[in-house]
Coordinates of all heavy atoms in Angstrom, one line a residue:
M816 N -103.4 -266.9 -112.0 CA -102.6 -265.8 -111.6 C -103.4 -264.5 -111.5 O -104.4 -264.4 -112.1 CB -101.4 -265.6 -112.5 CG -100.3 -266.7 -112.4 SD -99.9 -266.5 -110.7 CE -98.4 -267.2 -110.5
Y817 N -102.8 -263.6 -110.8 CA -103.4 -262.3 -110.6 C -103.0 -261.4 -111.8 O -101.9 -261.5 -112.2 CB -103.0 -261.6 -109.3 CG -103.5 -262.4 -108.1 CD1 -102.7 -263.1 -107.3 CD2 -104.9 -262.4 -107.8 CE1 -103.1 -263.8 -106.2 CE2 -105.3 -263.0 -106.7 CZ -104.4 -263.7 -105.9 OH -104.8 -264.4 -104.8
S818 N -103.9 -260.6 -112.3 CA -103.5 -259.6 -113.3 C -104.1 -258.3 -112.9 O -105.2 -258.2 -112.3 CB -104.0 -260.1 -114.7 OG -105.5 -260.1 -114.7
F819 N -103.4 -257.3 -113.3 CA -103.9 -255.9 -113.0 C -104.7 -255.5 -114.2 O -104.3 -255.6 -115.3 CB -102.7 -255.0 -112.8 CG -101.9 -255.3 -111.6 CD1 -100.7 -255.9 -111.7 CD2 -102.4 -255.0 -110.3 CE1 -99.9 -256.2 -110.6 CE2 -101.6 -255.3 -109.2 CZ -100.4 -255.9 -109.3
A820 N -105.9 -254.9 -113.9 CA -106.8 -254.5 -114.9 C -106.6 -253.0 -115.1 O -107.2 -252.1 -114.5 CB -108.2 -254.8 -114.5
F821 N -105.7 -252.6 -116.0 CA -105.4 -251.2 -116.4 C -106.1 -251.0 -117.7 O -106.0 -251.7 -118.6 CB -104.0 -250.9 -116.5 CG -103.2 -250.9 -115.2 CD1 -102.2 -251.7 -115.0 CD2 -103.6 -249.9 -114.3 CE1 -101.5 -251.7 -113.8 CE2 -102.9 -249.9 -113.0 CZ -101.8 -250.7 -112.8
N822 N -106.8 -249.9 -117.8 CA -107.3 -249.4 -119.0 C -106.6 -248.1 -119.4 O -105.8 -247.6 -118.7 CB -108.8 -249.4 -119.0 CG -109.3 -248.5 -117.9 OD1 -108.6 -247.7 -117.4 ND2 -110.6 -248.5 -117.7
L823 N -107.1 -247.6 -120.6 CA -106.4 -246.3 -121.0 C -106.7 -245.2 -120.1 O -105.9 -244.3 -119.9 CB -107.0 -246.1 -122.4 CG -106.3 -245.0 -123.2 CD1 -104.9 -245.3 -123.5 CD2 -107.0 -244.8 -124.6
W824 N -107.9 -245.1 -119.5 CA -108.2 -244.0 -118.6 C -107.3 -244.0 -117.3 O -106.9 -243.0 -116.8 CB -109.7 -244.1 -118.2 CG -110.1 -242.9 -117.4 CD1 -110.6 -242.9 -116.1 CD2 -110.1 -241.5 -117.8 NE1 -110.9 -241.6 -115.7 CE2 -110.6 -240.8 -116.7 CE3 -109.7 -240.9 -119.0 CZ2 -110.7 -239.4 -116.8 CZ3 -109.9 -239.5 -119.1 CH2 -110.4 -238.8 -118.0
D825 N -107.0 -245.2 -116.8 CA -106.1 -245.3 -115.7 C -104.7 -244.8 -116.0 O -104.1 -244.1 -115.2 CB -106.0 -246.7 -115.2 CG -107.3 -247.3 -114.6 OD1 -108.1 -246.5 -114.1 OD2 -107.5 -248.5 -114.7
I826 N -104.2 -245.1 -117.2 CA -102.9 -244.6 -117.6 C -103.0 -243.1 -117.8 O -102.0 -242.4 -117.5 CB -102.5 -245.3 -118.9 CG1 -102.3 -246.8 -118.6 CG2 -101.2 -244.7 -119.5 CD1 -102.0 -247.7 -119.8
G827 N -104.1 -242.6 -118.3 CA -104.2 -241.1 -118.4 C -104.2 -240.4 -117.1 O -103.6 -239.3 -117.0
L828 N -104.9 -241.0 -116.1 CA -104.8 -240.4 -114.8 C -103.4 -240.4 -114.2 O -103.0 -239.4 -113.6 CB -105.8 -241.0 -113.9 CG -107.3 -240.8 -114.2 CD1 -108.2 -241.7 -113.2 CD2 -107.6 -239.4 -114.0
W829 N -102.7 -241.5 -114.4 CA -101.4 -241.5 -113.9 C -100.5 -240.5 -114.6 O -99.7 -239.9 -114.0 CB -100.8 -243.0 -114.2 CG -99.4 -243.1 -113.8 CD1 -98.9 -243.2 -112.6 CD2 -98.3 -243.2 -114.8 NE1 -97.5 -243.3 -112.7 CE2 -97.1 -243.3 -114.0 CE3 -98.2 -243.1 -116.1 CZ2 -95.9 -243.3 -114.6 CZ3 -97.0 -243.2 -116.7 CH2 -95.8 -243.3 -116.0
L830 N -100.7 -240.3 -115.9 CA -100.0 -239.3 -116.6 C -100.3 -237.9 -116.1 O -99.4 -237.0 -116.0 CB -100.2 -239.4 -118.1 CG -99.5 -240.5 -118.9 CD1 -100.1 -240.6 -120.3 CD2 -98.0 -240.3 -118.9
A831 N -101.5 -237.6 -115.8 CA -101.9 -236.3 -115.3 C -101.3 -236.0 -114.0 O -100.7 -234.9 -113.8 CB -103.4 -236.2 -115.2
I832 N -101.3 -237.0 -113.1 CA -100.7 -236.8 -111.8 C -99.2 -236.6 -111.9 O -98.6 -235.7 -111.2 CB -101.1 -237.9 -110.8 CG1 -102.6 -237.9 -110.5 CG2 -100.3 -237.9 -109.5 CD1 -103.1 -239.1 -109.9
S833 N -98.6 -237.4 -112.7 CA -97.1 -237.3 -112.9 C -96.8 -236.0 -113.5 O -95.7 -235.4 -113.2 CB -96.6 -238.4 -113.9 OG -96.9 -239.7 -113.3
S834 N -97.5 -235.5 -114.5 CA -97.3 -234.2 -115.1 C -97.3 -233.1 -114.1 O -96.5 -232.2 -114.1 CB -98.3 -233.9 -116.2 OG -98.1 -232.7 -116.7
I835 N -98.3 -233.1 -113.2 CA -98.5 -232.1 -112.2 C -97.3 -232.1 -111.2 O -96.7 -231.0 -110.9 CB -99.8 -232.2 -111.4 CG1 -101.0 -231.9 -112.3 CG2 -99.8 -231.4 -110.2 CD1 -102.3 -232.3 -111.7
I836 N -96.9 -233.3 -110.8 CA -95.7 -233.4 -109.9 C -94.4 -232.9 -110.6 O -93.6 -232.2 -110.0 CB -95.6 -234.9 -109.4 CG1 -96.7 -235.2 -108.5 CG2 -94.2 -235.1 -108.7 CD1 -96.8 -236.7 -108.1
L837 N -94.2 -233.3 -111.8 CA -93.0 -232.8 -112.5 C -93.0 -231.3 -112.7 O -92.0 -230.7 -112.6 CB -92.9 -233.6 -113.9 CG -92.5 -235.0 -113.8 CD1 -92.6 -235.7 -115.2 CD2 -91.1 -235.2 -113.2
L838 N -94.2 -230.7 -113.0 CA -94.2 -229.3 -113.2 C -93.9 -228.5 -111.9 O -93.2 -227.5 -111.9 CB -95.5 -228.9 -113.8 CG -95.7 -229.1 -115.3 CD1 -97.1 -228.8 -115.7 CD2 -94.8 -228.2 -116.1
V839 N -94.5 -229.0 -110.8 CA -94.2 -228.4 -109.5 C -92.8 -228.5 -109.2 O -92.1 -227.6 -108.7 CB -95.1 -229.0 -108.4 CG1 -94.7 -228.6 -107.1 CG2 -96.6 -228.6 -108.7
T840 N -92.2 -229.7 -109.4 CA -90.7 -229.9 -109.1 C -89.9 -229.0 -110.0 O -88.9 -228.4 -109.5 CB -90.4 -231.4 -109.4 OG1 -91.2 -232.2 -108.6 CG2 -88.9 -231.7 -109.1
S841 N -90.2 -228.9 -111.3 CA -89.4 -228.0 -112.1 C -89.5 -226.5 -111.7 O -88.5 -225.8 -111.8 CB -89.8 -228.2 -113.6 OG -91.1 -227.6 -113.8
E842 N -90.7 -226.1 -111.2 CA -90.8 -224.7 -110.7 C -90.0 -224.5 -109.4 O -89.4 -223.5 -109.2 CB -92.2 -224.4 -110.6 CG -92.9 -224.1 -111.9 CD -92.3 -223.0 -112.6 OE1 -92.0 -221.9 -112.0 OE2 -92.2 -223.1 -113.9
L843 N -90.0 -225.5 -108.6 CA -89.3 -225.4 -107.3 C -87.8 -225.4 -107.5 O -87.0 -224.9 -106.7 CB -89.7 -226.5 -106.3 CG -91.1 -226.3 -105.7 CD1 -91.4 -227.5 -104.9 CD2 -91.3 -225.1 -105.0
L844 N -87.3 -226.0 -108.6 CA -85.9 -226.1 -108.9 C -85.4 -224.9 -109.8 O -84.3 -224.9 -110.2 CB -85.5 -227.4 -109.6 CG -85.7 -228.7 -108.8 CD1 -85.4 -229.9 -109.6 CD2 -84.7 -228.6 -107.6
A845 N -86.3 -224.0 -110.0 CA -86.0 -222.8 -110.9 C -84.9 -222.0 -110.2 O -84.8 -221.9 -109.0 CB -87.2 -222.0 -111.2
P846 N -84.0 -221.4 -111.0 CA -82.9 -220.6 -110.4 C -83.4 -219.4 -109.6 O -82.6 -219.0 -108.7 CB -82.2 -220.1 -111.7 CG -82.9 -220.5 -112.9 CD -84.0 -221.4 -112.5
Y847 N -84.5 -218.8 -109.8 CA -84.9 -217.7 -109.0 C -85.4 -218.0 -107.6 O -85.8 -217.2 -106.9 CB -86.0 -216.8 -109.8 CG -87.1 -217.6 -110.4 CD1 -88.2 -218.0 -109.7 CD2 -87.1 -217.9 -111.8 CE1 -89.2 -218.7 -110.3 CE2 -88.1 -218.5 -112.4 CZ -89.2 -218.9 -111.6 OH -90.2 -219.6 -112.2
Y848 N -85.4 -219.4 -107.3 CA -85.7 -219.8 -105.9 C -84.4 -220.1 -105.2 O -84.4 -220.5 -104.0 CB -86.6 -221.0 -105.9 CG -88.0 -220.7 -106.2 CD1 -88.7 -221.3 -107.2 CD2 -88.8 -219.9 -105.4 CE1 -90.0 -221.1 -107.5 CE2 -90.1 -219.6 -105.6 CZ -90.7 -220.2 -106.7 OH -92.0 -220.0 -106.9
G849 N -83.3 -219.9 -105.8 CA -82.0 -220.0 -105.1 C -81.4 -221.4 -105.3 O -80.3 -221.6 -104.7
R850 N -82.0 -222.3 -106.0 CA -81.5 -223.6 -106.1 C -80.8 -223.8 -107.5 O -81.3 -224.4 -108.4 CB -82.5 -224.7 -106.0 CG -83.1 -224.7 -104.6 CD -84.3 -225.7 -104.5 NE -84.8 -225.8 -103.1 CZ -85.6 -225.0 -102.6 NH1 -86.0 -224.0 -103.2 NH2 -86.0 -225.2 -101.3
I851 N -79.6 -223.1 -107.6 CA -79.0 -223.1 -108.9 C -78.1 -224.3 -109.1 O -77.9 -224.8 -110.2 CB -78.1 -221.8 -109.0 CG1 -79.0 -220.6 -108.9 CG2 -77.3 -221.8 -110.3 CD1 -78.3 -219.3 -108.8
K852 N -77.5 -224.9 -108.1 CA -76.5 -226.0 -108.2 C -77.2 -227.3 -108.1 O -76.8 -228.2 -107.3 CB -75.5 -225.9 -107.1 CG -74.6 -224.6 -107.3 CD -73.6 -224.5 -106.3 CE -72.8 -223.3 -106.4 NZ -71.7 -223.2 -105.5
M853 N -78.2 -227.6 -109.0 CA -78.8 -228.9 -109.0 C -78.4 -229.7 -110.2 O -78.1 -229.1 -111.3 CB -80.4 -228.7 -109.1 CG -81.0 -228.1 -107.9 SD -80.7 -229.0 -106.4 CE -81.7 -230.4 -106.6
V854 N -78.3 -231.0 -110.1 CA -77.8 -231.8 -111.2 C -78.9 -232.1 -112.2 O -78.7 -232.3 -113.4 CB -77.4 -233.2 -110.6 CG1 -76.9 -234.1 -111.6 CG2 -76.3 -233.0 -109.5
I855 N -80.2 -231.9 -111.8 CA -81.3 -232.1 -112.7 C -81.4 -231.0 -113.7 O -81.4 -229.8 -113.4 CB -82.6 -232.3 -111.9 CG1 -82.5 -233.4 -110.9 CG2 -83.8 -232.4 -112.8 CD1 -83.7 -233.5 -110.0
D856 N -81.6 -231.4 -115.0 CA -81.8 -230.4 -116.0 C -83.3 -230.0 -116.0 O -84.2 -230.7 -116.3 CB -81.4 -231.0 -117.4 CG -81.5 -230.0 -118.5 OD1 -81.5 -228.8 -118.2 OD2 -81.4 -230.4 -119.7
V857 N -83.5 -228.7 -115.6 CA -84.9 -228.2 -115.4 C -85.6 -228.1 -116.7 O -86.8 -228.4 -116.8 CB -84.8 -226.8 -114.6 CG1 -86.2 -226.3 -114.5 CG2 -84.2 -227.0 -113.3
K858 N -84.9 -227.7 -117.8 CA -85.5 -227.5 -119.0 C -86.0 -228.9 -119.6 O -87.2 -229.0 -120.1 CB -84.6 -226.9 -120.1 CG -85.2 -226.6 -121.4 CD -84.2 -225.9 -122.3 CE -84.8 -225.6 -123.6 NZ -83.8 -224.9 -124.5
R859 N -85.2 -229.9 -119.4 CA -85.7 -231.3 -119.9 C -86.8 -231.8 -119.0 O -87.7 -232.4 -119.5 CB -84.5 -232.2 -119.8 CG -84.8 -233.6 -120.4 CD -83.6 -234.5 -120.4 NE -82.7 -234.0 -121.4 CZ -81.4 -234.4 -121.5 NH1 -81.0 -235.3 -120.7 NH2 -80.6 -233.9 -122.4
L860 N -86.8 -231.5 -117.7 CA -87.8 -231.9 -116.8 C -89.2 -231.2 -117.2 O -90.2 -231.8 -117.2 CB -87.5 -231.5 -115.4 CG -88.4 -232.0 -114.2 CD1 -88.4 -233.5 -114.2 CD2 -88.0 -231.4 -112.9
R861 N -89.1 -229.9 -117.6 CA -90.3 -229.3 -118.0 C -90.9 -229.8 -119.3 O -92.1 -230.0 -119.5 CB -90.1 -227.8 -118.2 CG -90.0 -227.0 -116.9 CD -89.9 -225.5 -117.1 NE -89.7 -224.9 -115.8 CZ -89.0 -223.8 -115.7 NH1 -88.5 -223.2 -116.7 NH2 -88.9 -223.3 -114.5
I862 N -90.0 -230.1 -120.2 CA -90.4 -230.8 -121.5 C -91.1 -232.1 -121.3 O -92.1 -232.4 -121.9 CB -89.2 -230.9 -122.5 CG1 -88.7 -229.5 -122.9 CG2 -89.5 -231.8 -123.6 CD1 -87.4 -229.5 -123.7
I863 N -90.5 -232.9 -120.4 CA -91.2 -234.2 -120.1 C -92.5 -234.0 -119.4 O -93.5 -234.7 -119.7 CB -90.2 -235.0 -119.2 CG1 -89.0 -235.4 -120.0 CG2 -90.9 -236.3 -118.7 CD1 -87.9 -236.1 -119.2
A864 N -92.6 -233.0 -118.5 CA -93.9 -232.7 -117.8 C -94.9 -232.3 -118.8 O -96.1 -232.7 -118.8 CB -93.7 -231.7 -116.8
I865 N -94.6 -231.4 -119.8 CA -95.5 -230.9 -120.8 C -95.9 -232.0 -121.7 O -97.1 -232.1 -122.1 CB -94.9 -229.7 -121.5 CG1 -94.9 -228.5 -120.5 CG2 -95.8 -229.3 -122.7 CD1 -94.1 -227.3 -121.1
G866 N -95.0 -232.9 -122.1 CA -95.3 -234.0 -122.9 C -96.3 -235.0 -122.3 O -97.2 -235.5 -122.9
S867 N -96.0 -235.3 -121.0 CA -97.0 -236.2 -120.3 C -98.3 -235.5 -120.1 O -99.4 -236.2 -120.2 CB -96.4 -236.6 -119.0 OG -96.2 -235.6 -118.1
G868 N -98.3 -234.2 -120.0 CA -99.7 -233.5 -119.9 C -100.4 -233.6 -121.2 O -101.6 -233.7 -121.2
L869 N -99.7 -233.4 -122.3 CA -100.3 -233.5 -123.6 C -100.8 -234.9 -123.9 O -101.8 -235.1 -124.5 CB -99.3 -233.0 -124.7 CG -99.0 -231.6 -124.8 CD1 -97.9 -231.3 -125.8 CD2 -100.2 -230.8 -125.0
A870 N -100.0 -235.9 -123.4 CA -100.5 -237.3 -123.6 C -101.8 -237.5 -122.8 O -102.7 -238.2 -123.3 CB -99.4 -238.3 -123.2
F871 N -101.9 -236.9 -121.6 CA -103.1 -237.0 -120.9 C -104.3 -236.4 -121.6 O -105.4 -236.9 -121.7 CB -103.0 -236.4 -119.5 CG -104.3 -236.2 -118.9 CD1 -105.0 -237.2 -118.4 CD2 -104.8 -234.9 -118.7 CE1 -106.3 -237.0 -117.8 CE2 -106.0 -234.7 -118.1 CZ -106.7 -235.7 -117.7
L872 N -104.0 -235.2 -122.2 CA -105.0 -234.6 -123.0 C -105.5 -235.4 -124.2 O -106.7 -235.4 -124.5 CB -104.6 -233.2 -123.4 CG -104.5 -232.1 -122.3 CD1 -103.9 -230.9 -122.8 CD2 -105.8 -231.9 -121.6
V873 N -104.6 -236.0 -124.8 CA -105.0 -236.9 -126.0 C -105.8 -238.1 -125.5 O -106.9 -238.4 -126.1 CB -103.7 -237.4 -126.7 CG1 -104.0 -238.5 -127.7 CG2 -103.0 -236.3 -127.4
I874 N -105.4 -238.7 -124.4 CA -106.2 -239.8 -123.8 C -107.6 -239.3 -123.4 O -108.6 -240.0 -123.6 CB -105.4 -240.4 -122.7 CG1 -104.3 -241.2 -123.2 CG2 -106.3 -241.4 -121.9 CD1 -103.3 -241.7 -122.2
A875 N -107.7 -238.1 -122.8 CA -109.0 -237.6 -122.4 C -109.8 -237.3 -123.6 O -111.1 -237.5 -123.6 CB -108.8 -236.3 -121.5
A876 N -109.2 -236.8 -124.7 CA -110.0 -236.5 -125.9 C -110.6 -237.8 -126.5 O -111.7 -237.9 -127.0 CB -109.1 -235.8 -126.9
V877 N -109.7 -238.9 -126.5 CA -110.2 -240.2 -126.9 C -111.4 -240.7 -126.0 O -112.4 -241.2 -126.5 CB -109.0 -241.2 -126.9 CG1 -109.5 -242.6 -127.2 CG2 -108.0 -240.8 -128.0
R878 N -111.2 -240.5 -124.8 CA -112.3 -241.0 -123.8 C -113.6 -240.2 -124.1 O -114.7 -240.8 -124.1 CB -111.8 -240.8 -122.4 CG -112.8 -241.0 -121.4 CD -113.0 -242.4 -121.0 NE -113.9 -242.5 -119.9 CZ -114.0 -243.6 -119.2 NH1 -113.3 -244.6 -119.5 NH2 -114.8 -243.6 -118.2
I879 N -113.5 -238.9 -124.3 CA -114.7 -238.1 -124.5 C -115.3 -238.5 -125.9 O -116.5 -238.5 -126.0 CB -114.3 -236.6 -124.5 CG1 -114.0 -236.2 -123.1 CG2 -115.4 -235.7 -125.0 CD1 -113.4 -234.8 -122.9
S880 N -114.5 -238.7 -126.9 CA -115.0 -239.1 -128.2 C -115.7 -240.4 -128.1 O -116.7 -240.6 -128.9 CB -114.0 -239.0 -129.2 OG -113.0 -240.1 -129.0
T881 N -115.2 -241.4 -127.3 CA -115.9 -242.6 -127.2 C -117.2 -242.5 -126.4 O -118.2 -243.2 -126.7 CB -115.0 -243.7 -126.5 OG1 -114.6 -243.2 -125.3 CG2 -113.8 -244.0 -127.4
V882 N -117.3 -241.6 -125.5 CA -118.5 -241.4 -124.7 C -119.5 -240.7 -125.6 O -120.7 -241.1 -125.6 CB -118.2 -240.6 -123.4 CG1 -119.5 -240.1 -122.8 CG2 -117.4 -241.4 -122.5
I883 N -119.1 -239.8 -126.4 CA -120.1 -239.1 -127.2 C -120.5 -239.9 -128.4 O -121.7 -240.0 -128.7 CB -119.5 -237.7 -127.8 CG1 -119.3 -236.8 -126.6 CG2 -120.3 -237.1 -128.9 CD1 -118.6 -235.5 -127.0
G884 N -119.6 -240.6 -129.0 CA -119.9 -241.4 -130.2 C -120.3 -242.8 -129.8 O -121.2 -243.5 -129.9

């Protein structure tokens, strides 16, 4: 059977791209752009985006420490 070869770095890149997309989306849905009547909770979206960005930074730190060590 076929299997996908994902490693930690691939997941980190996915998290980084997702974080950027979520942050841009949360900024475009901000109330000062005129989109006040949205169902999406912007504060929760920003928290998730920052959390995925921090997860990427942890994965990048692990990657750098393995390269150095």
Side-chain angles (χ1 to χ4, degrees):
M816 283 301 200
Y817 297 107
S818 66
F819 295 105
F821 286 120
N822 56 14
L823 191 61
W824 186 242
D825 295 333
I826 295 171
L828 289 176
W829 176 73
L830 282 171
I832 293 169
S833 297
S834 176
I835 291 170
I836 290 171
L837 288 172
L838 283 172
V839 167
T840 303
S841 71
E842 285 299 318
L843 289 176
L844 292 176
Y847 45 83
Y848 283 121
R850 292 175 176 84
I851 297 172
K852 297 182 180 182
M853 295 300 289
V854 181
I855 299 172
D856 187 11
V857 177
K858 185 176 180 180
R859 186 175 293 169
L860 187 65
R861 283 186 186 149
I862 291 171
I863 293 170
I865 291 171
S867 63
L869 289 175
F871 165 71
L872 289 176
V873 168
I874 291 173
V877 168
R878 173 81 175 196
I879 290 170
S880 69
T881 58
V882 169
I883 292 174

